[in-house]
Amino acid sequence: MQRKKLIAGNWKMNGLLSDSKKLAQEIATAVKSAKPSCDVLVCPPFVLLTTIKKALRGSKVMLGAQDCSMFEKGAHTGDVSPYQLKDAGCDFVILGHSERRADHKESSALVKAKAEAALNAGLKVIICVGETLAERESGKALEVVEKQVKASLANGANASNTVIAYEPVWAIGTGKTATPQDAEEVHAHIRNVLVQKCSKAIASRMKILYGGSMKPSNAAELLKEPDIDGGLIGGASLKSEDFLEIIRKAN
Ligand code: PGA
């Protein structure tokens, strides 16, 4: 099954107006002229979404947010509704990132509720899963990831509305990357879990991204694994030349 690759930048809590606008414009201009065969997505912080939407105008670079509420609207101070994200021009929302699971005690049940709200609002979701170092060292990586996938996916998840990102927690922002073989083992396992949870057809079409210190020097070998369908990139997505180099490697 040939799946179109997706290269997604997770800007996390980085960037002020002017440098972020410049970053988005550089990416948009390069993507417009290079016309890569992969899809490209950037996910800036909430307050930058409308500015970045404008900066991307005329390019095929998609826009995503990094979280959303499970509620549509109302008395939820500080939260942002998926309908507001859709209204701001978002195509995607990242949900269940390990930093949110850790910093905000987000459970897979909450991630699932958010995913269902996001799909109802017409957004696509990137559901993040991944084991900690202790879990990997005790041989539990596959088990942990399987549990997270089964409990976090929305009812109604399919290959057009849902992407999974496998991000081993020990590889995020640490410079340590899973070997292509270790990553592929988990990705292939996730695809088998999707066969059981969804269907064979959905499992064969759903994109599974790798995230965790992906950079120009390791992207090509990760992206050539059969079940790695793109990357969710943090640090290296904040420099246009690095992000654009990864996009080239995905071609
Ligand atoms: P990193 O972050 O590329 O900086 O490791 C990836 C992520 O957390 O999405």
Side-chain angles (χ1 to χ4, degrees):
M1 175 79 209
Q2 201 45 39
R3 290 173 296 270
K4 191 172 186 185
K5 290 206 168 21
L6 170 64
I7 298 298
N10 174 10
W11 293 4
K12 307 195 179 183
M13 199 174 70
N14 293 296
L16 299 177
L17 267 179
S18 65
D19 54 323
S20 304
K21 207 168 138 184
K22 183 166 170 273
L23 174 60
Q25 281 164 343
E26 285 167 3
I27 295 166
T29 306
V31 166
K32 248 194 268 179
S33 69
K35 299 189 179 55
S37 60
C38 63
D39 287 327
V40 180
L41 166 70
V42 294
C43 302
F46 289 132
V47 289
L48 297 173
L49 286 170
T50 47
T51 303
I52 302 304
K53 178 75 188 171
K54 280 188 210 134
L56 297 175
R57 201 179 279 157
S59 80
K60 289 205 168 133
V61 180
M62 297 182 288
L63 184 71
Q66 301 169 17
D67 180 42
C68 73
S69 172
M70 62 180 275
F71 300 109
E72 182 184 338
K73 62 178 175 182
H76 304 287
T77 304
D79 287 344
V80 177
S81 159
Y83 290 83
Q84 293 171 322
L85 298 179
K86 182 73 185 170
D87 194 43
C90 286
D91 305 288
F92 273 93
V93 60
I94 299 171
L95 294 172
H97 191 283
S98 62
E99 286 151 14
R100 293 210 60 86
R101 289 179 189 261
D103 294 355
H104 300 275
K105 311 273 176 293
E106 290 197 5
S107 65
S108 291
L110 177 63
V111 174
K112 178 179 179 180
K114 289 182 173 194
E116 288 174 353
L119 296 188
N120 284 334
L123 294 167
K124 296 177 185 185
V125 296
I126 298 180
I127 305 291
C128 302
V129 297
E131 81 286 0
T132 62
L133 185 58
E135 288 163 343
R136 171 150 290 260
E137 285 177 343
S138 58
K140 294 211 174 88
L142 296 181
E143 189 189 314
V144 167
V145 166
E146 173 168 345
K147 253 200 190 147
Q148 288 177 333
V149 169
K150 285 185 172 162
S152 306
L153 250 62
N155 285 333
N158 62 43
S160 325
N161 63 24
T162 301
V163 171
I164 294 179
Y166 167 58
E167 300 203 304
V169 178
W170 49 271
I172 295 178
T174 57
K176 286 186 202 148
T177 320
T179 64
Q181 296 70 31
D182 284 345
E184 172 58 23
E185 183 192 20
V186 180
H187 281 236
H189 186 70
I190 293 174
R191 209 171 294 288
N192 282 332
V193 172
L194 292 174
V195 173
Q196 299 161 35
K197 178 154 175 75
C198 303
S199 70
K200 215 171 162 185
I202 291 176
S204 71
R205 294 204 314 272
M206 193 177 283
K207 291 190 215 313
I208 308 174
L209 313 183
Y210 170 80
S213 299
M214 189 185 269
K215 44 189 182 256
S217 60
N218 60 25
E221 49 171 13
L222 286 159
L223 292 169
K224 71 170 192 273
E225 291 296 330
D227 290 292
I228 301 186
D229 307 314
L232 181 56
I233 297 133
S237 73
L238 297 172
K239 283 195 210 132
S240 58
E241 64 272 31
D242 286 358
F243 191 59
L244 292 167
E245 186 58 26
I246 296 173
I247 292 170
R248 279 190 284 276
K249 298 267 157 71
N251 269 316

